[in-house]
Amino acid sequence: MKLGFLTACMPERRLEDIVEWAADRRFEALEVAAWPSLGDRPFTASHLAVEQFGHADADQINELFDNNGLTLSSVAYYDNNLHPDPAERKAINGHVAACIDAAGLLGCPTVGTFIGRDPGKTVADNLREAERTFRPLVERAGERGVKLVIENCVMEGWHPDGYPGNLAYSPELWEWMFSLGLYLNYDPSHLVWMGIDPVAALRPYVDRIPHAQAKDIELFPERRNRYGYPGKAVNRTDPWDTGWWRYRVPGLGDVDWRKVVDALYEGGFDGVLSVEHEDPIWGGAPDKVDTGLDIAHRTLRPLIVA
């Protein structure tokens, strides 16, 4: 197992600078953000221009990583592949395809994205559409030696009432994804607020997890007593603010990382555990982001066999 992080927490920095910083801090891998543009959603970045990516680009990126002793663990583009607007959906699906092509040229083992959801349709209708949407993407990935991994993020901000906006939030849906040839980019933080034991959920599926993310979560149960599971309903100016939990870097929340890492090892996981830094306390400025990643490193490094 190797320890890395997702570069989306550093949107203003060049990939070259991030690679050097990561090597200096003794991280071993990077999950590289490849959004086409920053857009209006937080925690996105454009560190890999996959739209017109060729062999020369791949050689340059691989040389950068090799010279700094790092692994490129995944190409990351987490967006709504079932977007209700047909033109937007087509563009998102097309960009996932470009990420797959770039990963193939790079020799990168995985591409990370979301299933997504059309909030105006039932789960059953969405799953039928997802089967049609992802079949060609899975085939494309297989032809290029790449695994398409889906993060189990709930993406509640995509639904007008705070319900799941990414249909990958439970083991039931993971099994449906696996039947399509998709894999899981496991993140325990989302399971915690959904009321799912992250270790019990993890154990049966380790062989379908080629890549994992490390994000922590801090719960405020007394606030949940007011808002309920979906979160704020009356005064929710920020669609991502449920009011009763917040993400943290590993070590500052409620996830038991000793048990999570132990379960990954017991199940035979030998991929990358990638820190996804969305901590509001240790974010907002480059020096704070650096400190947050340092905290995550100090928490997880002792648990990972060198």
Side-chain angles (χ1 to χ4, degrees), residues 43-73:
F43 307 113
T44 63
S46 301
H47 292 132
L48 201 62
V50 300
E51 297 91 340
Q52 297 178 329
F53 197 82
H55 290 281
D57 302 296
D59 290 344
Q60 183 179 7
I61 296 295
N62 282 331
E63 183 179 8
L64 171 67
F65 275 74
D66 290 344
N67 288 344
N68 286 276
L70 293 183
T71 295
L72 202 170
S73 67

Short mmCIF file of all heavy atoms in Angstrom, two decimals, residues 43-73:
data_model
loop_
_atom_site.label_atom_id
_atom_site.label_comp_id
_atom_site.label_asym_id
_atom_site.label_seq_id
_atom_site.Cartn_x
_atom_site.Cartn_y
_atom_site.Cartn_z
N PHE A 43 -13.35 22.14 -4.67
CA PHE A 43 -12.51 20.95 -4.69
C PHE A 43 -12.44 20.31 -6.07
O PHE A 43 -12.55 19.09 -6.24
CB PHE A 43 -12.97 19.93 -3.63
CG PHE A 43 -13.09 20.54 -2.26
CD1 PHE A 43 -14.32 20.67 -1.64
CD2 PHE A 43 -11.96 21.00 -1.59
CE1 PHE A 43 -14.43 21.24 -0.40
CE2 PHE A 43 -12.07 21.58 -0.34
CZ PHE A 43 -13.31 21.70 0.27
N THR A 44 -12.28 21.17 -7.08
CA THR A 44 -11.97 20.71 -8.43
C THR A 44 -10.70 21.42 -8.88
O THR A 44 -10.38 22.51 -8.39
CB THR A 44 -13.11 21.00 -9.41
OG1 THR A 44 -13.30 22.41 -9.52
CG2 THR A 44 -14.41 20.34 -8.95
N ALA A 45 -10.00 20.80 -9.82
CA ALA A 45 -8.77 21.40 -10.33
C ALA A 45 -8.45 20.82 -11.70
O ALA A 45 -8.97 19.77 -12.08
CB ALA A 45 -7.61 21.15 -9.35
N SER A 46 -7.59 21.52 -12.42
CA SER A 46 -7.19 21.10 -13.77
C SER A 46 -5.68 20.96 -13.83
O SER A 46 -4.97 21.88 -14.23
CB SER A 46 -7.67 22.14 -14.80
OG SER A 46 -9.07 22.28 -14.75
N HIS A 47 -5.17 19.82 -13.41
CA HIS A 47 -3.73 19.57 -13.38
C HIS A 47 -3.27 18.66 -14.52
O HIS A 47 -2.07 18.44 -14.69
CB HIS A 47 -3.33 18.96 -12.04
CG HIS A 47 -3.47 19.91 -10.90
ND1 HIS A 47 -4.09 19.58 -9.71
CD2 HIS A 47 -3.10 21.21 -10.78
CE1 HIS A 47 -4.08 20.63 -8.90
NE2 HIS A 47 -3.48 21.62 -9.53
N LEU A 48 -4.23 18.14 -15.28
CA LEU A 48 -3.91 17.29 -16.41
C LEU A 48 -4.87 17.63 -17.54
O LEU A 48 -6.08 17.47 -17.40
CB LEU A 48 -4.06 15.82 -16.00
CG LEU A 48 -3.34 14.76 -16.83
CD1 LEU A 48 -1.83 14.96 -16.76
CD2 LEU A 48 -3.71 13.37 -16.34
N ALA A 49 -4.33 18.13 -18.65
CA ALA A 49 -5.17 18.52 -19.79
C ALA A 49 -5.35 17.31 -20.69
O ALA A 49 -4.53 17.04 -21.58
CB ALA A 49 -4.51 19.68 -20.55
N VAL A 50 -6.43 16.58 -20.48
CA VAL A 50 -6.61 15.30 -21.18
C VAL A 50 -7.26 15.44 -22.55
O VAL A 50 -7.26 14.49 -23.33
CB VAL A 50 -7.46 14.34 -20.32
CG1 VAL A 50 -6.79 14.07 -18.98
CG2 VAL A 50 -8.88 14.87 -20.11
N GLU A 51 -7.79 16.61 -22.85
CA GLU A 51 -8.56 16.76 -24.09
C GLU A 51 -7.72 16.53 -25.34
O GLU A 51 -8.18 15.95 -26.31
CB GLU A 51 -9.21 18.15 -24.17
CG GLU A 51 -10.23 18.43 -23.06
CD GLU A 51 -9.59 19.07 -21.85
OE1 GLU A 51 -8.35 18.96 -21.68
OE2 GLU A 51 -10.32 19.70 -21.06
N GLN A 52 -6.50 16.98 -25.34
CA GLN A 52 -5.58 16.79 -26.47
C GLN A 52 -4.27 16.21 -25.95
O GLN A 52 -3.21 16.83 -26.02
CB GLN A 52 -5.35 18.12 -27.21
CG GLN A 52 -6.62 18.69 -27.84
CD GLN A 52 -6.38 20.03 -28.51
OE1 GLN A 52 -5.53 20.81 -28.11
NE2 GLN A 52 -7.15 20.30 -29.56
N PHE A 53 -4.37 15.01 -25.44
CA PHE A 53 -3.26 14.37 -24.74
C PHE A 53 -2.64 13.30 -25.64
O PHE A 53 -3.34 12.42 -26.15
CB PHE A 53 -3.78 13.74 -23.45
CG PHE A 53 -2.72 13.40 -22.45
CD1 PHE A 53 -2.22 14.37 -21.59
CD2 PHE A 53 -2.23 12.11 -22.35
CE1 PHE A 53 -1.25 14.06 -20.65
CE2 PHE A 53 -1.26 11.79 -21.42
CZ PHE A 53 -0.77 12.77 -20.57
N GLY A 54 -1.33 13.39 -25.84
CA GLY A 54 -0.65 12.46 -26.72
C GLY A 54 0.52 11.76 -26.05
O GLY A 54 0.77 11.93 -24.85
N HIS A 55 1.24 10.98 -26.83
CA HIS A 55 2.37 10.22 -26.29
C HIS A 55 3.45 11.13 -25.71
O HIS A 55 4.05 10.81 -24.67
CB HIS A 55 2.97 9.34 -27.40
CG HIS A 55 2.09 8.21 -27.80
ND1 HIS A 55 2.00 7.04 -27.08
CD2 HIS A 55 1.25 8.06 -28.87
CE1 HIS A 55 1.15 6.21 -27.67
NE2 HIS A 55 0.68 6.80 -28.75
N ALA A 56 3.71 12.28 -26.35
CA ALA A 56 4.72 13.19 -25.83
C ALA A 56 4.32 13.75 -24.47
O ALA A 56 5.16 13.89 -23.57
CB ALA A 56 4.95 14.34 -26.83
N ASP A 57 3.01 14.05 -24.32
CA ASP A 57 2.53 14.53 -23.02
C ASP A 57 2.70 13.45 -21.96
O ASP A 57 3.11 13.73 -20.82
CB ASP A 57 1.05 14.91 -23.13
CG ASP A 57 0.81 15.98 -24.18
OD1 ASP A 57 1.32 17.10 -24.01
OD2 ASP A 57 0.11 15.69 -25.18
N ALA A 58 2.36 12.22 -22.30
CA ALA A 58 2.49 11.12 -21.36
C ALA A 58 3.94 10.91 -20.95
O ALA A 58 4.25 10.70 -19.76
CB ALA A 58 1.92 9.84 -21.97
N ASP A 59 4.85 10.99 -21.90
CA ASP A 59 6.27 10.83 -21.60
C ASP A 59 6.75 11.91 -20.63
O ASP A 59 7.51 11.64 -19.70
CB ASP A 59 7.10 10.88 -22.88
CG ASP A 59 6.90 9.65 -23.77
OD1 ASP A 59 6.36 8.64 -23.26
OD2 ASP A 59 7.25 9.73 -24.95
N GLN A 60 6.29 13.14 -20.86
CA GLN A 60 6.70 14.25 -20.00
C GLN A 60 6.18 14.07 -18.57
O GLN A 60 6.92 14.28 -17.60
CB GLN A 60 6.19 15.57 -20.59
CG GLN A 60 6.61 16.80 -19.81
CD GLN A 60 6.09 18.08 -20.45
OE1 GLN A 60 5.31 18.05 -21.39
NE2 GLN A 60 6.52 19.21 -19.93
N ILE A 61 4.92 13.68 -18.44
CA ILE A 61 4.33 13.49 -17.11
C ILE A 61 5.01 12.31 -16.40
O ILE A 61 5.36 12.40 -15.21
CB ILE A 61 2.82 13.24 -17.22
CG1 ILE A 61 2.10 14.47 -17.79
CG2 ILE A 61 2.24 12.86 -15.85
CD1 ILE A 61 2.16 15.69 -16.91
N ASN A 62 5.21 11.22 -17.12
CA ASN A 62 5.84 10.06 -16.49
C ASN A 62 7.27 10.36 -16.04
O ASN A 62 7.72 9.89 -14.99
CB ASN A 62 5.83 8.87 -17.46
CG ASN A 62 4.46 8.20 -17.53
OD1 ASN A 62 3.71 8.21 -16.56
ND2 ASN A 62 4.14 7.61 -18.67
N GLU A 63 7.99 11.14 -16.84
CA GLU A 63 9.35 11.53 -16.45
C GLU A 63 9.32 12.37 -15.18
O GLU A 63 10.16 12.20 -14.28
CB GLU A 63 10.02 12.30 -17.59
CG GLU A 63 11.46 12.68 -17.28
CD GLU A 63 12.13 13.43 -18.42
OE1 GLU A 63 11.43 13.79 -19.40
OE2 GLU A 63 13.35 13.67 -18.34
N LEU A 64 8.36 13.30 -15.10
CA LEU A 64 8.22 14.13 -13.90
C LEU A 64 8.00 13.28 -12.66
O LEU A 64 8.66 13.48 -11.62
CB LEU A 64 7.04 15.10 -14.09
CG LEU A 64 6.61 15.92 -12.87
CD1 LEU A 64 7.70 16.90 -12.47
CD2 LEU A 64 5.30 16.65 -13.15
N PHE A 65 7.10 12.30 -12.76
CA PHE A 65 6.82 11.44 -11.61
C PHE A 65 8.00 10.54 -11.29
O PHE A 65 8.37 10.37 -10.12
CB PHE A 65 5.54 10.63 -11.87
CG PHE A 65 4.28 11.35 -11.52
CD1 PHE A 65 3.80 12.38 -12.31
CD2 PHE A 65 3.55 11.00 -10.39
CE1 PHE A 65 2.63 13.05 -11.99
CE2 PHE A 65 2.39 11.66 -10.05
CZ PHE A 65 1.92 12.69 -10.85
N ASP A 66 8.61 9.95 -12.32
CA ASP A 66 9.74 9.06 -12.09
C ASP A 66 10.91 9.79 -11.44
O ASP A 66 11.56 9.25 -10.52
CB ASP A 66 10.21 8.45 -13.42
CG ASP A 66 9.22 7.45 -13.99
OD1 ASP A 66 8.33 7.00 -13.24
OD2 ASP A 66 9.33 7.13 -15.19
N ASN A 67 11.17 11.01 -11.88
CA ASN A 67 12.29 11.77 -11.32
C ASN A 67 12.09 12.12 -9.86
O ASN A 67 13.06 12.40 -9.14
CB ASN A 67 12.51 13.05 -12.13
CG ASN A 67 13.11 12.78 -13.50
OD1 ASN A 67 13.62 11.69 -13.76
ND2 ASN A 67 13.04 13.77 -14.39
N ASN A 68 10.83 12.13 -9.43
CA ASN A 68 10.53 12.46 -8.03
C ASN A 68 10.11 11.24 -7.21
O ASN A 68 9.70 11.39 -6.06
CB ASN A 68 9.44 13.53 -7.98
CG ASN A 68 9.94 14.90 -8.37
OD1 ASN A 68 10.49 15.63 -7.55
ND2 ASN A 68 9.77 15.25 -9.64
N GLY A 69 10.21 10.06 -7.80
CA GLY A 69 9.92 8.83 -7.08
C GLY A 69 8.48 8.65 -6.69
O GLY A 69 8.17 8.02 -5.68
N LEU A 70 7.56 9.20 -7.51
CA LEU A 70 6.13 9.11 -7.21
C LEU A 70 5.40 8.23 -8.21
O LEU A 70 5.83 8.07 -9.35
CB LEU A 70 5.49 10.50 -7.22
CG LEU A 70 5.89 11.49 -6.13
CD1 LEU A 70 5.08 12.78 -6.28
CD2 LEU A 70 5.65 10.92 -4.74
N THR A 71 4.25 7.70 -7.77
CA THR A 71 3.34 6.95 -8.61
C THR A 71 2.13 7.81 -8.95
O THR A 71 1.60 8.51 -8.08
CB THR A 71 2.86 5.68 -7.88
OG1 THR A 71 3.98 4.82 -7.66
CG2 THR A 71 1.80 4.94 -8.69
N LEU A 72 1.69 7.79 -10.21
CA LEU A 72 0.44 8.44 -10.60
C LEU A 72 -0.66 7.39 -10.44
O LEU A 72 -0.77 6.47 -11.26
CB LEU A 72 0.53 8.93 -12.05
CG LEU A 72 -0.43 10.06 -12.47
CD1 LEU A 72 -0.03 10.59 -13.85
CD2 LEU A 72 -1.87 9.62 -12.48
N SER A 73 -1.43 7.51 -9.37
CA SER A 73 -2.34 6.43 -8.99
C SER A 73 -3.66 6.45 -9.73
O SER A 73 -4.28 5.41 -9.95
CB SER A 73 -2.62 6.47 -7.48
OG SER A 73 -3.36 7.64 -7.13
#
